[in-house]
Amino acid sequence: MKIEQIYTGCLAQGAYYIVSEKEAIIIDPLREVKPYLDRLEKDNVTLKYIFETHFHADFVSGHLDLSKKTGAPIVYGPTAQPEFEAIIAEDEQIFEIGAIKIKALHTPGHTMESTTYLLIDENNVETAIFTGDTLFLGDVGRPDLAQKAGSMTQEDLAGILYDSLHSKILPLDDSITVYPAHGAGSACGKNMQKETVDILGNQRKTNYALNQPDKESFIKEVLDGLTAPPKYFGMNVAMNKGGYESLDDVMNKGLNPVSVEDFENFAEETGALILDTRNPADFHKGFIPNSINIGLKGDFAPWVGSLIVDVKHPLLLVSDEGTEEEVITRLSRVGFDHVLGYLKGGFDAWKNSKKEIDEVKRISPTEFVEQFNKNSKVIDVRKIGEYSAEHVDNAYSRPLDTISDWVSTVDDSEHFFLHCAGGYRSMIAASILNSHGIRNFTEIEGGFNGIKKTEKLPVSDFVCQSKTL
């Protein structure tokens, strides 16, 4: 038997490839299926089942393409109602793969179809659980995503999750290996550990959610501090449940090189958003007016989903040459399948054609210190938790993920400084501000990390600021 965790850091997502004798299964595959097909061919094994722990919200699964290319059936847990052919497992139903078995344990709470898969090895020993979003390392799945207006609240779901954990997972042996669907950085939980594999016994000791004295305390603690989920989550659920276009077709349409002249006309005619995926250090020196910068070398796909939201919005790409396929692949992971093409020759082609370009004023932390005074206005776009831990004294906390709510409150007549932790998120914010006609600001390279290293500015962990900008 072989168990391989295929972990994708930019999504903090774990898929699982398991082989026994000449048969294999894949649990929670990502959208692009070629890596799985390559593994199957290399190992000379047949894919018997594709197991889905639930209808994922934060990424589009590869279950449909994988099933079409291999003939393997898709398996969901009880109560799932996909709009395509699938096996709907019964609670505790056994599936045989080579010399091992997989038992479906219905564990609702995160969603009502959520199911944990228990692996029973060749010696009939319960060995591992693949918990999806039911149990993470250090946390449990958020129970606010599947609530239904008028019939089910997040409190109801949290209570159901408590029952699932205590009736199906916690009775298992401490030696059981826990393989979750997500790790630290995912928006599917709030307190995840950096590790991606653990044993159940250690989780009993270290996971706050498993150490609550009763159901009431569990509900209170699990719901406490939850921020609003990214708005694209519901669209990804719909795609996973209802179906989507083949990634092959998405790739064929998106890998369309567009000349400078056609690119400009295309943008005007279609209303497409121009997405510039270059490094912030390159973007600030020059970019196509009104384009949005979300750098490929970062948490690219989650930020696209959180800020653009509408997965059906047409996109035109400005990317470093040779990265276009990777960009389209990573966009597809969160359901953004409507890439119309990319600028042939990249930004250099636009610049060399003498077309209009825009810039973001960027300074070093040292320059910021030199220019800063008691009347300076500073906007910090880090997460609230980062800001609360430490920030430039009197800076305004305006998290990037809520920029659509606060951008209209910015007074462009008053200059302000803009920063995040290292420069990635603040350049995203800068590009969005620019697209709204807000230009009277200076972005700080290196962000708060660089500012702190200067040791020349007062920092505070005391939150005291007005609500207006």
Side-chain angles (χ1 to χ4, degrees):
M1 178 181 68
K2 176 175 75 171
I3 301 174
E4 181 180 358
Q5 181 186 65
I6 306 171
Y7 198 78
T8 305
C10 62
L11 286 177
Q13 190 269 343
Y16 297 92
Y17 172 70
I18 304 167
V19 175
S20 177
E21 296 180 339
K22 288 294 182 178
E23 294 182 330
I25 63 171
I26 294 174
I27 301 175
D28 293 339
L30 274 187
R31 182 77 179 272
E32 65 274 23
V33 301
K34 188 177 184 302
Y36 310 124
L37 299 176
D38 290 344
R39 282 172 168 82
L40 293 167
E41 183 178 4
K42 179 182 177 183
D43 293 340
N44 192 26
V45 296
T46 300
L47 185 63
K48 191 169 185 181
Y49 297 109
I50 301 159
F51 287 97
E52 291 285 344
T53 56
H54 64 297
F55 293 121
H56 308 283
D58 61 313
F59 70 97
V60 178
S61 174
H63 55 313
L64 290 175
D65 277 355
L66 192 56
S67 180
K68 182 178 180 180
K69 290 177 182 291
T70 64
I74 301 165
V75 181
Y76 279 96
T79 78
Q81 295 180 319
E83 297 173 23
F84 45 81
E85 185 176 351
I87 296 171
I88 307 304
E90 297 179 1
D91 189 25
E92 300 194 356
Q93 182 174 343
I94 298 288
F95 297 84
E96 296 185 355
I97 303 96
I100 66 173
K101 301 180 182 70
I102 292 288
K103 179 188 283 190
L105 302 178
H106 190 207
T107 51
H110 172 65
T111 63
M112 290 308 294
E113 80 284 351
S114 285
T115 296
T116 293
Y117 296 107
L118 172 64
L119 187 151
I120 303 169
D121 71 12
E122 304 93 330
N123 300 312
N124 211 36
V125 175
E126 296 178 346
T127 301
I129 48 175
F130 301 86
T131 56
D133 285 20
T134 295
L135 174 64
F136 298 126
L137 305 187
D139 205 351
V140 293
R142 55 188 303 163
D144 61 327
L145 301 183
Q147 55 188 317
K148 297 178 180 179
S151 63
M152 187 169 291
T153 67
Q154 60 181 8
E155 287 78 13
D156 293 332
L157 283 162
I160 293 169
L161 180 58
Y162 176 90
D163 292 338
S164 294
L165 291 165
H166 284 263
S167 65
K168 297 293 181 66
I169 292 180
L170 290 179
L172 298 171
D173 193 83
D174 278 353
S175 64
I176 292 278
T177 302
V178 179
Y179 292 105
H182 295 292
S186 169
C188 294
K190 63 181 181 181
N191 193 51
M192 298 189 204
Q193 297 167 352
K194 66 179 185 299
E195 295 80 11
T196 62
V197 179
D198 199 4
I199 59 171
L200 185 57
N202 192 50
Q203 284 303 300
R204 291 185 205 274
K205 298 174 184 177
T206 61
N207 190 319
Y208 80 95
L210 303 184
N211 283 284
Q212 299 304 314
D214 50 43
K215 183 188 288 190
E216 182 178 352
S217 299
F218 175 90
I219 293 172
K220 180 179 181 296
E221 290 300 318
V222 167
L223 295 178
D224 182 55
L226 284 180
T227 57
K231 295 177 182 178
Y232 76 98
F233 271 23
M235 299 179 192
N236 278 198
V237 171
M239 292 177 70
N240 283 321
K241 188 174 183 179
Y244 49 77
E245 191 174 4
S246 166
L247 180 58
D248 292 340
D249 294 337
V250 171
M251 192 66 68
N252 288 335
K253 287 190 300 184
L255 286 175
N256 171 35
V258 181
S259 68
V260 170
E261 290 298 331
D262 289 343
F263 191 91
E264 187 173 37
N265 294 333
F266 217 1
E268 292 178 359
E269 292 169 2
T270 64
L273 183 148
I274 301 174
L275 179 62
D276 191 319
T277 67
R278 293 177 298 149
N279 188 292
D282 295 323
F283 178 84
H284 92 90
K285 297 174 185 176
F287 56 90
I288 299 174
N290 296 318
S291 57
I292 302 301
N293 174 238
I294 304 179
L296 184 62
K297 296 179 180 179
D299 292 335
F300 173 70
W303 278 119
V304 169
S306 296
L307 298 173
I308 300 176
V309 180
D310 183 2
V311 298
K312 295 182 179 180
H313 196 100
L315 303 175
L316 284 167
L317 305 178
V318 180
S319 303
D320 290 320
E321 290 190 85
T323 66
E324 297 87 4
E325 185 171 345
E326 181 184 357
V327 171
I328 296 170
T329 298
R330 290 175 66 174
L331 286 170
S332 74
R333 291 175 181 169
V334 288
F336 286 80
D337 291 352
H338 296 271
V339 175
L340 305 180
Y342 64 89
L343 180 60
K344 184 178 181 180
F347 179 73
D348 284 344
W350 182 275
K351 184 177 180 180
N352 293 336
S353 70
K354 307 301 181 182
K355 294 286 186 180
E356 180 184 358
I357 64 173
D358 208 343
E359 298 177 352
V360 168
K361 184 179 180 182
R362 178 176 240 200
I363 60 174
S364 70
T366 300
E367 291 172 310
F368 169 61
V369 169
E370 293 171 350
Q371 296 176 27
F372 182 84
N373 60 59
K374 64 179 181 179
N375 296 317
S376 295
K377 180 176 172 182
V378 179
I379 294 180
D380 183 335
V381 300
R382 295 176 300 160
K383 294 178 181 179
I384 291 175
E386 295 173 276
Y387 174 88
S388 297
E390 199 170 27
H391 57 266
V392 175
D393 205 16
N394 292 323
Y396 289 87
S397 174
R398 295 296 182 266
L400 175 59
D401 59 359
T402 64
I403 192 169
S404 61
D405 298 326
W406 58 261
V407 65
S408 62
T409 69
V410 177
D411 181 3
D412 193 44
S413 67
E414 182 183 5
H415 177 268
F416 60 92
F417 295 99
L418 181 73
H419 77 83
C420 62
Y424 181 83
R425 287 172 288 177
S426 56
M427 193 56 70
I428 297 174
S431 67
I432 294 173
L433 290 167
N434 258 282
S435 71
H436 282 77
I438 299 168
R439 313 177 63 81
N440 191 14
F441 67 87
T442 304
E443 189 263 354
I444 304 168
E445 182 180 12
F448 186 77
N449 295 337
I451 295 169
K452 190 175 178 181
K453 287 178 182 177
T454 67
E455 299 181 349
K456 292 183 179 180
L457 279 186
V459 295
S460 171
D461 59 3
F462 177 68
V463 179
C464 181
Q465 56 173 276
S466 67
K467 294 183 179 180
T468 59
L469 290 171

